[in-house]
C-alpha cells in the first residue's frame, strides 16, 4: 500500500492536475491513497477571507469569496469535459455552504473560525481531483480525512490522538483502499466534539505521514515541482545539489531548521514504522528524487545549508538583579509556550537568555509585552538563521564575510549562525 501526496503547486491549475492523472494511472494497479492540498494559493486567500469575516469587513469578504470561487470554477471548466458532471453541482453546493456560513455572525475564537473556513480549500481541491480522475478512467473514491484523523481542540495546530486515529485508519480506511484507490485531503482533521481542526500551515505532508502510519504503508511519496531535496535553497545558493538519500534524523533536522520541502512533523511517524519517504518531481516522475530513511548509502557527508530569514533575536535579562537560572527560565518558557511561539535557537549566560524565533508580528508582539512585565528585553530583527552541517572553515568565511555575527553555536555535526 502506498501513500502519495500532491501539494498546492502540483494542483495549482488544470494543467498541473493532469500530471496527477498521468502519475496515478501508472500506479492504478497498486493499493493507493492520494492526499491533496488546496489548489495553488487558495489557503492564503482563505486565510484573508477568514480574517475579513472575523473583522466584519463585508466588502473584502465578498471580493475574496468571489475570487476564490472564480478560480475554482475556471479550473473545473478546464478539467471536466462532461457538462452534466455532478461535480459542478457538488462544488457549487460547497460554495453555497461556505457563503451561508459567512453570512452568519462570527462566533467563537478567531482560531476556531479560521479552521472552519480555511479547511474548505482542501475539500474543494479533493472533490475536483477525484471527479477528474474518475472522468479520466482512474476509478477512485473520495473520502473525508476528518473521519479518520482525530485531534484535540488546538485550533490551527491540532495534536493528533494517535491511538484513535491509528485504529480508525487501520480498521476503517485500510479495507476500502484495498478495494479501490482513495482520494482524501491533507491539512485537516476533526476534534472529538466534531469541529474541523487544521494541522498547521503546510501540514499536508504531515497528513500523508499520519495515514501511512495508520495504514502501515510501504512508502510515502511527496510529489513536488522540484527534483528532490537539495542541500541548500537553489535560489540562495548557486551550487545547490540534490541529495539522493537522507537518514531520518538528518531530514528532521533539515526540515525543522527551515528546509521547506518537507513539513518537519512528517518524518517521525514514518521513522517509527520504518516507512521510506520519497520526494519526487511530478514533472519528471521517472527521475529518482530523494529517499529518506531506508537507503544504505546516505548523503550524510555533503554539507547542507538551511536558511531561515525574518528572524528575531530576543535578549532577556532580569529587572531584579536575579540570575537567569531555573526559576526565571521556567517562567520565560511558560510565556513562550502559552503564546505558541517556537524557539529556533537559544543561548544563556548568568545574566541573560537569548532566543531566536520566527518574527510573526502580532503573535510576537503579544508575547514580548508579556515578557516585558518581568524582564528587560532587547531585540534585533531582520536576522538570518543559518544551520549548516559538515561545514568547512572556508565555507564559513564565505557565508559570514562582512556580516555581523550575533550568535554562533556548534554541536558535533551542526553549526548555527545568527547573522545580520
Ligand atoms: N493548504 C495548506 C497550506 O497551504 C496545507 C498544505 O498545503 O500542506 O498551508
Ligand atoms: Mg499549500
Amino acid at each position: 500500500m502506498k501513500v502519495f501526496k500532491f501539494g498546492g503547486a502540483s494542483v495549482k491549475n488544470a494543467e498541473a492536475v493532469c500530471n496527477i492523472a498521468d502519475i496515478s494511472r501508472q500506479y492504478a494497479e497498486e493499493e493507493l491513497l492520494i492526499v491533496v492540498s488546496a489548489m495553488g494559493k487558495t489557503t492564503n486567500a482563505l486565510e484573508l477571507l477568514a480574517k475579513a469575516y472575523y473583522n466584519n469587513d463585508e466588502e473584502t469578504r465578498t471580493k475574496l469569496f468571489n475570487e476564490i470561487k472564480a478560480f475554482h470554477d475556471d479550473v473545473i471548466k478546464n478539467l471536466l469535459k462532461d457538462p452534466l458532471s455532478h461535480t459542478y453541482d457538488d462544488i457549487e453546493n460547497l460554495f453555497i455552504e461556505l457563503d451561508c456560513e459567512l453570512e452568519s455572525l462570527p462566533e467563537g475564537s478567531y482560531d476556531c473560525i479560521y479552521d472552519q473556513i480555511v479547511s474548505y480549500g482542501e475539500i474543494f481541491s479533493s472533490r475536483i481531483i477525484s471527479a477528474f480522475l474518475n472522468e479520466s478512467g482512474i476509478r477512485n473514491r473520495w473520502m473525508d480525512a476528518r473521519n479518520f484523523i482525530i485531534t484535540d481542540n488546538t485550533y490551527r495546530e491540532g495534536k493528533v490522538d494517535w491511538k484513535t486515529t491509528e485504529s480508525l485508519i487501520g480498521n476503517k480506511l485500510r479495507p476500502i483502499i484495498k478495494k479501490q484507490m482513495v482520494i482524501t485531503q491533507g491539512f485537516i482533521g476533526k476534534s472529538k466534539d466534531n469541529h474541523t481542526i487544521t494541522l498547521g500551515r503546510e501540514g499536508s505532508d504531515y497528513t500523508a505521514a499520519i495515514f501511512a502510519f495508520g495504514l502501515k504503508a510501504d512508502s510515502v511519496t511527496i510529489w513536488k515541482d522540484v527534483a528532490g531535496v537539495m542541500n541548500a535553497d537553489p535560489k540562495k545558493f548557486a551550487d545547490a545539489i540534490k541529495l539522493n538519500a537522507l537518514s531520518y534524523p538528518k531530514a528532521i533536522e533539515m526540515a525543522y531548521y527551515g528546509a521547506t520541502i518537507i513539513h518537519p512533523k512528517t518524518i517521525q511517524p514514518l521513522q517509527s514504522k520504518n516507512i521510506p519517504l520519497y520526494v519526487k518531481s511530478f514533472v519528471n516522475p521517472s527521475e529518482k528524487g530523494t529517499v529518506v530513511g531506508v537507503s544504505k548509502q546516505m548523503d550524510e557527508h555533503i554539507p547542507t545549508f538551511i536558511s531561515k530569514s525574518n528572524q528575531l533575536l530576543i535578549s532577556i535579562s532580569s529587572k531584579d538583579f536575579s540570575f537567569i537560572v531555573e526559576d526565571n527560565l521556567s517562567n520565560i518558557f511558560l510565556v513562550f509556550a502559552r503564546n505558541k511561539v517556537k524557539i529556533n535557537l537559544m543561548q544563556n549566560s548568568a545574566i541573560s537568555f537569548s532566543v531566536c524565533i520566527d518574527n510573526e508580528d502580532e503573535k510576537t508582539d503579544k508575547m514580548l509585552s508579556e515578557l516585558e512585565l518581568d524582564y528587560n528585553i532587547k531585540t534585533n530583527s531582520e536576522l538570518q538563521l543559518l544551520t549548516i552541517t559538515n561545514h568547512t572553515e572556508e565555507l564559513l568565511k564565505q557565508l559570514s564575510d562582512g556580516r555581523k555575527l550575533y550568535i554562533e553555536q556548534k554541536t558535533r555535526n551542526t553549526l548555527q549562525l545568527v547573522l545580520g
Side-chain angles (χ1 to χ4, degrees):
M1 197 169 281
K2 290 185 164 58
V3 178
F4 284 180
K5 180 256 172 176
F6 291 93
S10 46
V11 295
K12 68 171 189 248
N13 52 31
E15 195 192 334
V17 174
C18 290
N19 284 319
I20 302 191
D22 292 343
I23 290 168
S24 35
R25 189 171 286 118
Q26 288 172 34
Y27 292 88
E29 297 303 310
E30 305 250 6
E31 294 166 352
L32 186 60
L33 172 71
I34 297 184
V35 174
V36 297
S37 299
M39 294 179 152
K41 302 275 175 237
T42 302
T43 306
N44 292 353
L46 284 165
E47 275 189 345
L48 295 175
L49 178 67
K51 209 166 235 162
Y53 170 60
Y54 185 71
N55 294 333
N56 287 312
D57 176 352
E58 206 176 318
E59 196 185 320
T60 313
R61 198 191 83 196
T62 311
K63 182 172 161 279
L64 285 163
F65 177 87
N66 290 339
E67 280 170 12
I68 296 166
K69 182 160 188 317
F71 169 77
H72 285 88
D73 283 347
D74 192 52
V75 175
I76 301 174
K77 245 187 268 140
N78 283 311
L79 275 180
L80 300 180
K81 300 290 169 264
D82 173 7
L84 296 176
S85 166
H86 63 80
T87 309
Y88 284 99
D89 283 347
D90 286 352
I91 302 292
E92 192 66 30
N93 287 342
L94 283 169
F95 273 101
I96 291 170
E97 190 183 297
L98 173 60
D99 199 19
C100 293
E101 252 178 82
L102 296 170
E103 281 301 317
S104 64
L105 280 177
E107 238 177 66
S109 69
Y110 172 66
D111 287 353
C112 170
I113 288 171
Y114 175 105
D115 279 0
Q116 311 319 304
I117 293 176
V118 174
S119 51
Y120 271 91
E122 268 65 15
I123 304 291
F124 297 146
S125 67
S126 58
R127 281 273 181 208
I128 295 170
I129 291 162
S130 167
F132 171 68
L133 293 184
N134 272 326
E135 205 187 70
S136 313
I138 303 162
R139 293 288 300 143
N140 71 88
R141 178 183 291 198
W142 180 90
M143 301 233 66
D144 193 326
R146 291 170 292 192
N147 292 330
F148 309 106
I149 297 187
I150 308 301
T151 69
D152 69 356
N153 265 322
T154 316
Y155 292 108
R156 299 182 66 178
E157 181 98 53
K159 309 237 171 342
V160 174
D161 173 344
W162 285 99
K163 231 174 144 197
T164 315
T165 300
E166 185 180 20
S167 106
L168 284 170
I169 293 173
N171 297 329
K172 305 288 178 202
L173 182 61
R174 198 165 205 283
I176 301 172
I177 302 175
K178 279 194 153 292
K179 288 196 219 116
Q180 191 164 38
M181 182 188 295
V182 171
I183 312 284
T184 193
Q185 314 77 36
F187 188 47
I188 62 175
K190 187 177 78 175
S191 64
K192 290 205 179 71
D193 45 8
N194 268 328
H195 282 115
T196 299
I197 307 273
T198 63
L199 303 175
R201 282 303 308 264
E202 308 302 330
S204 297
D205 295 351
Y206 184 39
T207 300
I210 298 168
F211 276 119
F213 178 91
L215 294 168
K216 298 192 182 68
D218 298 319
S219 65
V220 172
T221 306
I222 299 181
W223 296 93
K224 302 283 289 187
D225 53 355
V226 292
V229 179
M230 311 284 283
N231 73 328
D233 181 347
K235 285 187 217 114
K236 294 182 188 140
F237 297 89
D239 312 330
I241 54 166
K242 195 193 75 170
L243 300 167
N244 294 320
L246 286 173
S247 65
Y248 292 115
K250 175 100 177 203
I252 293 172
E253 183 157 348
M254 287 181 72
Y256 188 82
Y257 288 114
T260 51
I261 191 150
I262 310 169
H263 189 281
K265 286 184 178 170
T266 311
I267 314 289
Q268 287 183 78
L270 301 180
Q271 181 180 20
S272 76
K273 292 203 174 165
N274 250 323
I275 301 169
L277 169 70
Y278 296 92
V279 179
K280 282 167 73 96
S281 155
F282 64 80
V283 187
N284 297 306
S286 56
E287 276 179 15
K288 265 191 131 162
T290 301
V291 57
V292 176
V294 286
S295 173
K296 296 222 164 49
Q297 274 193 322
M298 301 291 180
D299 285 338
E300 305 290 282
H301 57 284
I302 297 175
T304 56
F305 310 91
I306 311 298
S307 154
K308 251 182 184 244
S309 47
N310 195 24
Q311 296 296 294
L312 183 74
L313 181 64
I314 309 173
S315 301
I316 305 165
S317 57
S318 70
K319 285 184 178 171
D320 59 3
F321 312 115
S322 61
F323 294 114
I324 301 285
V325 287
E326 290 77 5
D327 291 1
N328 278 318
L329 283 175
S330 80
N331 280 339
I332 293 168
F333 280 127
L334 267 180
V335 177
F336 276 82
R338 205 169 39 239
N339 286 283
K340 300 203 182 93
V341 173
K342 292 184 187 122
I343 295 175
N344 294 330
L345 172 142
M346 57 189 159
Q347 185 153 299
N348 71 324
S349 69
I351 50 163
S352 96
F353 179 57
S354 299
V355 293
C356 189
I357 62 167
D358 296 345
N359 195 354
E360 297 174 81
D361 301 326
E362 281 165 39
K363 198 160 134 181
T364 309
D365 290 347
K366 184 167 166 290
M367 186 196 64
L368 288 177
S369 56
E370 277 182 42
L371 282 173
E372 270 162 356
L373 297 176
D374 294 322
Y375 300 96
N376 292 319
I377 304 292
K378 262 195 351 210
T379 58
N380 299 88
S381 59
E382 302 287 324
L383 304 182
Q384 183 191 24
L385 171 64
L386 259 183
T387 304
I388 309 164
T389 60
N390 304 315
H391 71 281
T392 59
E393 287 309 315
E394 191 194 327
L395 267 172
L396 192 60
K397 200 162 168 291
Q398 215 177 316
L399 289 166
S400 57
D401 216 20
R403 301 176 67 182
K404 183 162 178 189
L405 179 63
Y406 286 82
I407 293 186
E408 176 177 333
Q409 238 175 48
K410 256 185 212 170
T411 61
R412 215 171 316 158
N413 304 315
T414 308
L415 170 69
Q416 292 195 292
L417 305 174
V418 180
L419 294 163

